[in-house]
């Protein structure tokens, strides 16, 4: 009883306050009333380096409300009202939401903010509590441009994000002026610094900067950030001295992962990071049946609809980092690359966002007419997605909005307790090189992903598997909370080398390690099977099982790994050493195909045309090297002085070596053998029609083979 009472004491101090909540994406005209616990004594009974869920909830609430301009009708403004409800007096509240982006000294590097202070009676006497609430990025191109200002001044690599740091310098001066004006001694006060997105980045740097400079020690600073981007490349970011900074992120959110921390880009945040639960890092049934419905209890009040999770953990933002750091290997490339990302992003922001006017803060309700205006290219994408996944485009748009919305973070924080809302479980990804067929399925035999000829079928992907095709490989992502089965197959006569590499990621999606490239050797009628997910969280090798013919064929039929039976229509172009140009198409599959070609004889001056039909079969020798064998029928019409409109029929056989550089494309070299039958098709072999490059092969008195070579391409 005594122990239970001691643990309950902090909760007994707290009181429920009904806050009027509005924000950037809140879909109601009037504020939403939410009950949240509040007790100013938390800040004097808790060490800054120990996480406090009550403080985190209040910080999330203030970060949400900070998006409403504080200078628009101060009597009814939700931020001012919330300060009053928490016991702050009007004379102790200061805000700056009037920003002049034309300022020659600050320019776009500004942010709206508010300060509030109050006396709190503690066991050590009267102390001051100071709140510093920093607004995230509004509907303003100016502050978005500051977000991408990594190093506008020098275009060189820097240790701290320039746009954020310059903004923090201004806010710090204002904060110190506020303390002096209100006669607040940092030694006799504690501080809460908070913000979402851009506001979180500013709070992160400001907290570290105040402690570094000795202005306010970390023991007096409670810093709680939400969805903060990365801010610094300094090695000291992970130092324990910054453990008073708590960064709360969603693994599905792209924003906390930029600028990236991959390859030569080494961006991080100061302090500790906690990751919200998602479909990949906690028990899936608990997430769907308990956590998500409770979260939606708040989200539906704020946005009038359910939250739309991606359900693929950090997979998307990991691919964004992979692509960005490949295309832009350094800050210099970011500014000076042919595809200048910095300039392109700025021009896009000016087109998306109008010039921001605080007095005309726009409503962005989901059913507004403006939200229904979709650019032409997005309409094409929408049609394609919706034709394969009903309602898929609309869900994707909601998910991209929800992943970063402050309303999402607030709903998670209010809905779940500390022991429920965070997870430390990571995930893994496997990249495969080469030409192969692959299926991923669960314990119930449900197909979750399919790869044919080394290319991911995007519309086959189902949660919890994620996938991304690249020019040189395909990447599959696996959750850490379950194992899934993977089958790799290749219909090659010689065992084909399929290379793979396993990458390990922590809960927030940062790369923690990767294996060396390793090989597996599938071949015709013998697939390879393994498990991935829980097994690959830390392991650098796969446990490979070679399947027998019967099991292989059963799995191929079950999951559609029938690349050799896939029907295709492929245009074809070829030219032979006998100067015959052939144009046409092939249709069928590897097992059996047919084709028809128009033939144009270009040697010397004879006029002749014809067409060819064929039937054949293709076999995979190794990897993307194929072998074709086919029977052909040439039909030829010649027109010369001696024989008018002479018709000839020439049977033939051809054997081709084919290279498939990428999926449908096939480059081939062919050895053709045309059969000359005496007194039957002599007209097709005159010296005016074709150049004799190779000697003929005599098979009898009336029969011979005339070899030639062809070079061509199919696509």
């Amino acid at each position: 009883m005594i122990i239970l009472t001691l643990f309950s004491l902090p909760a007994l101090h707290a009181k429920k306050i009904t806050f009027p909540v509005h924000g950037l994406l809140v879909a109601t005209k009037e504020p939403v009333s939410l009950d949240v616990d509040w007790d100013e004594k938390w800040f004097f009974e808790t060490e800054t380096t120990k996480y406090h869920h009550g403080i985190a909830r209040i910080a999330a609430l203030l970060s949400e409300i900070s998006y409403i301009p504080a200078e628009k009708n101060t009597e009814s403004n939700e931020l001012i009202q919330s300060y009053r409800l928490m016991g702050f007096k009007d004379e102790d509240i200061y805000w700056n939401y009037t920003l002049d982006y034309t300022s020659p000294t600050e320019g776009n590097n500004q942010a709206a903010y508010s300060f509030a202070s109050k006396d709190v009676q503690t066991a050590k006497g009267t102390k001051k509590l100071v709140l510093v609430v920093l607004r995230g990025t509004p509907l303003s191109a100016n502050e978005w441009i500051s977000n991408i200002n990594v190093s506008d001044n020098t275009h060189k690599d820097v240790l701290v994000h320039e746009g954020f740091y310059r903004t923090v310098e201004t806010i710090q001066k204002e904060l110190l002026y506020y303390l002096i004006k209100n006669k607040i001694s940092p030694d006799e006060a504690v501080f809460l610094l908070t913000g979402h997105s851009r506001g979180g980045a500013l709070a992160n740097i400001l907290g570290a900067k105040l402690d570094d400079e000795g202005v306010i020690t970390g023991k007096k600073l409670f810093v709680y950030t939400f969805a903060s981007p990365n801010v610094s490349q300094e090695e000291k970011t992970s130092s324990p001295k910054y453990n008073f900074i708590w960064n709360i992120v969603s693994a599905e959110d792209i924003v906390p992962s930029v600028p990236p921390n991959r390859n030569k880009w080494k961006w991080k945040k100061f302090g500790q990071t906690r990751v919200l639960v998602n479909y990949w890092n906690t028990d899936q049934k608990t997430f769907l049946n308990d956590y998500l419905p409770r979260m939606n209890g708040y989200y539906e009040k704020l946005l009038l609809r359910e939250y739309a999770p991606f359900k693929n953990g950090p997979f998307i933002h990991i691919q964004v980092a992979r692509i960005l750091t490949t295309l832009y290997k350094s800050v210099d490339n970011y500014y000076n690359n042919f595809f200048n990302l910095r300039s392109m992003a700025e021009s896009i922001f000016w087109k998306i966002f109008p010039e921001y006017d605080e007095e005309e803060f726009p409503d962005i309700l989901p059913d507004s007419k403006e939200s229904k205006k979709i650019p032409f290219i997005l309409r094409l994408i929408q049609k394609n997605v919706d034709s394969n996944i009903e309602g898929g485009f609309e869900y994707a748009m909601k998910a991209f909005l929800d992943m970063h919305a402050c309303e999402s973070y607030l709903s998670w924080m209010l809905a779940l307790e500390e022991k429920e809302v965070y997870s430390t479980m990571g995930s893994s990804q496997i990249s495969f090189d080469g030409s192969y067929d692959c299926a991923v399925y669960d314990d119930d035999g449900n197909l979750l992903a399919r790869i044919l000829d080394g290319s991911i079928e995007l519309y086959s992907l189902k949660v919890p598997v994620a996938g991304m095709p690249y020019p040189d490989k395909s990447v599959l992502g696996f959750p850490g909370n379950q194992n899934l089965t993977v089958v790799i197959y290749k219909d090659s006569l010689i065992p084909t080398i399929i290379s793979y590499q396993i990458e390990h990621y922590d809960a927030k999606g940062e790369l923690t390690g990767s294996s060396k490239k390793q090989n597996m050797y599938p071949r015709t009628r013998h697939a390879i099977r393994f498990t991935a997910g829980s097994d690959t969280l830390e392991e650098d090798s796969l446990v490979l099982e070679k399947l027998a013919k019967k099991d292989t064929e059963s799995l191929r039929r079950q999951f559609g790994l029938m690349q050799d039976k896939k029907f295709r229509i492929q245009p074809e172009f070829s030219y032979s050493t006998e100067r015959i140009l052939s144009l046409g198409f092939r249709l069928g599959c590897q097992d059996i195909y047919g084709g028809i070609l128009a033939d144009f004889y270009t040697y010397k001056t004879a006029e002749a045309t014809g067409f060819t039909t064929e039937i054949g079969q293709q076999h995979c020798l190794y990897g993307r090297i194929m072998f074709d064998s086919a029977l052909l029928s040439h039909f030829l019409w010649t027109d010369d002085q001696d024989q008018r409109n002479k018709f000839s029929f020439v049977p033939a056989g051809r054997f081709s070596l084919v290279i498939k550089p990428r999926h449908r494309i096939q480059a081939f070299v062919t050895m053709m053998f045309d059969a000359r039958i005496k007194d039957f098709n002599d007209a097709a072999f005159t010296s005016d029609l074709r150049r004799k490059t190779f000697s003929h092969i005599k098979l009898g008195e009336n029969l011979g083979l005339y070899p030639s070579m062809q070079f061509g391409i199919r696509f």
Side-chain angles (χ1 to χ4, degrees), residues 18-19 141 167 252 258 262 313 358 384 394 403 482 503 512 604 624 626 636 663 692 703:
T18 301
F19 288 91
T167 305
E252 295 184 349
V258 292
R262 193 181 182 98
E358 299 286 0
N384 185 35
E394 182 181 357
M403 69 177 183
Q482 72 174 110
E503 295 179 337
T512 58
K604 291 188 176 180
R624 296 188 182 279
M626 319 293 287
L636 171 68
H663 310 311
K692 305 296 190 297
L703 180 63

Side-chain angles (χ1 to χ4, degrees), residues 634-678:
H634 298 303
F635 300 93
L636 171 68
W637 285 265
T638 59
D639 188 6
D640 56 36
Q641 294 178 354
D642 299 326
Q643 298 177 335
R644 307 293 294 177
N645 298 322
K646 179 65 177 178
F647 166 77
S648 296
F649 167 71
V650 180
R654 74 172 179 177
F655 305 93
S656 305
L657 193 64
V658 182
I659 302 292
K660 295 174 62 178
R662 196 66 183 160
H663 310 311
R664 290 181 60 91
I665 299 175
Q666 299 183 11
F668 60 88
V669 57
T670 295
M671 200 69 193
M672 179 86 73
F673 296 93
D674 289 342
R676 181 174 182 177
I677 304 171
K678 187 177 180 181

Side-chain angles (χ1 to χ4, degrees), residues 66-78:
S66 71
Y67 279 98
I68 301 301
E71 293 186 352
K72 182 182 179 183
N73 195 348
T74 56
E75 289 303 315
S76 62
N77 178 268
E78 291 80 4

Side-chain angles (χ1 to χ4, degrees), residues 206-337:
L206 179 59
K209 190 170 184 291
L210 291 171
D211 182 65
D212 284 344
E213 297 174 356
V215 178
I216 304 173
T217 175
K219 294 181 179 180
K220 300 286 186 176
L221 290 168
F222 292 84
V223 182
Y224 284 78
T225 78
F226 302 90
S228 167
N230 290 324
V231 300
S232 174
Q233 295 192 100
E234 296 174 289
E235 292 184 4
K236 66 179 183 179
T237 52
S238 56
S239 170
K241 70 171 292 190
Y242 301 114
N243 279 356
F244 61 88
I245 300 175
W246 296 92
N247 303 297
I248 297 166
V249 304
S250 167
E252 295 184 349
D253 189 355
I254 294 174
V255 173
S257 68
V258 292
N261 180 12
R262 193 181 182 98
N263 298 330
K264 292 184 178 180
W265 296 74
K266 303 295 182 182
W267 293 86
K268 294 184 178 181
K269 290 178 268 289
F270 293 98
Q272 307 181 65
T273 297
R274 286 200 159 188
V275 183
L276 297 174
V277 288
N278 61 60
Y279 194 66
W280 268 23
N281 66 15
T282 192
D283 180 75
Q284 293 173 358
K285 290 184 178 179
T286 302
F287 179 80
L288 293 177
N289 300 328
D290 183 12
Y291 294 167
L292 194 57
R294 284 158 61 188
M295 184 269 195
N296 275 321
Y298 289 93
Y299 205 72
E300 289 173 344
K301 292 180 181 178
L302 296 169
L303 269 76
L304 304 180
R305 63 172 176 83
E306 292 187 347
Y307 174 68
F310 276 115
K311 297 183 184 177
N312 57 12
F315 185 83
I316 293 177
H317 77 67
I318 290 172
Q319 306 318 310
V320 171
R322 191 193 302 271
I323 293 169
L324 285 178
T325 57
T326 300
L327 295 177
Y328 304 94
K329 299 185 182 299
S330 66
V331 171
D332 180 70
N333 294 143
Y334 169 70
Y335 282 96
N336 301 313
N337 189 293

